């Protein structure tokens, strides 16, 4: 499925099938970090805890002066009605050819393929950028749902990072 990248008011917007990923700029991330909806309609009323945590990372990179547009948090939005079902994004800009992703879904959106589609779209976009050779992801050993998402996208498990299982991806399987 074709990934379409566009800009809307300075935001990167990635669209693929039923999914739209809307970049959350630092000012949006600040609202999300406070548990506020940031001008989005959330399936469960507010962003999930993982999305709030990711927003905090985007705010921190902005305050540290290392934020780069396109390399932070995205709202996972249903294209059909504009409802936000979770968050996905990067833990920061690329570093030595690698970038790390994460994702979180609202309770009501789990089990419908949104995390897999969001991770696939993020990886497809990232690996098309000249400064990215590898996409990384980590999970807790007991997080079987997240591990299944990574495996469906094509990630391969590599050496653990401390207590976390680590995965990497260098290309999107066809």
């Amino acid at each position: 499925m074709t990934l379409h990248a566009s800009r809307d008011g300075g935001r990167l917007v990635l669209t693929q099938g039923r999914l739209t990923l809307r970049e959350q700029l630092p000012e949006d991330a600040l609202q999300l970090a406070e548990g506020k909806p940031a001008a989005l309609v959330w399936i469960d009323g507010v962003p999930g805890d993982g999305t709030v945590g990711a927003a905090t990372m985007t705010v921190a990179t902005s305050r540290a002066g290392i934020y780069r547009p396109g390399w932070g948090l995205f709202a996972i939005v249903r294209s059909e009605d504009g409802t936000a079902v979770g968050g996905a994004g990067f833990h920061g800009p690329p570093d030595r050819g690698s970038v790390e992703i994460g994702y979180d879904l609202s309770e009501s959106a789990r089990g419908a393929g949104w995390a897999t589609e969001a991770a696939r779209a993020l990886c497809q976009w990232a690996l098309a950028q000249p400064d990215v050779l590898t996409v990384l992801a980590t999970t807790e050993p007991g997080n079987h749902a997240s591990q299944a998402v990574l495996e469906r996208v094509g990630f391969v498990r590599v050496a653990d990072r401390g207590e976390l299982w680590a995965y990497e991806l260098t290309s999107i399987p066809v």
Side-chain angles (χ1 to χ4, degrees), residues 2-4 14-16 19-21 90 101 114-127 153 172:
T2 302
L3 178 68
H4 177 72
L14 303 173
T15 307
Q16 190 170 53
L19 171 85
T20 298
L21 296 175
F90 303 100
I101 66 162
W114 293 108
T116 300
E117 291 177 35
R120 185 176 289 119
L122 279 178
C123 291
Q124 189 174 347
W125 180 81
L127 289 168
V153 173
I172 298 288

Side-chain angles (χ1 to χ4, degrees), residues 83-97:
T83 300
V85 298
F90 303 100
H91 291 205
D95 183 25
R96 294 182 296 247

Side-chain angles (χ1 to χ4, degrees), residues 3-96:
L3 178 68
H4 177 72
S6 62
R7 293 269 172 193
D8 179 15
R11 302 169 198 281
L12 177 60
V13 179
L14 303 173
T15 307
Q16 190 170 53
R18 66 183 186 143
L19 171 85
T20 298
L21 296 175
R22 288 189 53 79
E23 181 179 10
Q24 300 300 289
L25 300 175
E27 55 270 22
D28 305 314
L30 183 58
Q31 289 183 37
L32 291 170
E34 295 171 352
K36 297 176 184 171
L40 294 165
V41 175
W42 290 86
I43 192 168
D44 291 336
V46 293
D49 292 341
T51 300
V52 169
T56 302
M57 283 194 284
T58 296
V59 171
T61 60
S62 178
R63 288 182 176 157
I66 58 171
Y67 172 79
R68 281 181 40 202
W71 299 106
L73 174 64
F74 291 76
I76 303 170
V77 178
R78 291 190 310 216
S79 298
E80 69 180 358
D81 65 4
T83 300
V85 298
F90 303 100
H91 291 205
D95 183 25
R96 294 182 296 247

Side-chain angles (χ1 to χ4, degrees), residues 96-163:
R96 294 182 296 247
S98 294
V99 67
E100 186 170 352
I101 66 162
Y103 40 85
D104 172 62
L105 291 178
S106 298
E107 288 282 333
S108 298
R110 293 183 180 163
W114 293 108
T116 300
E117 291 177 35
R120 185 176 289 119
L122 279 178
C123 291
Q124 189 174 347
W125 180 81
L127 289 168
Q129 306 311 304
D131 49 351
V132 176
L133 302 172
T134 305
V135 180
L136 307 170
T138 59
T139 71
E140 294 178 357
N143 191 342
H144 304 293
S146 186
Q147 293 157 17
V149 165
L150 296 172
E151 290 167 6
R152 281 192 294 271
V153 173
F155 279 81
V156 175
R157 188 163 171 213
V158 294
D160 294 347
R161 289 184 172 180
E163 302 275 322

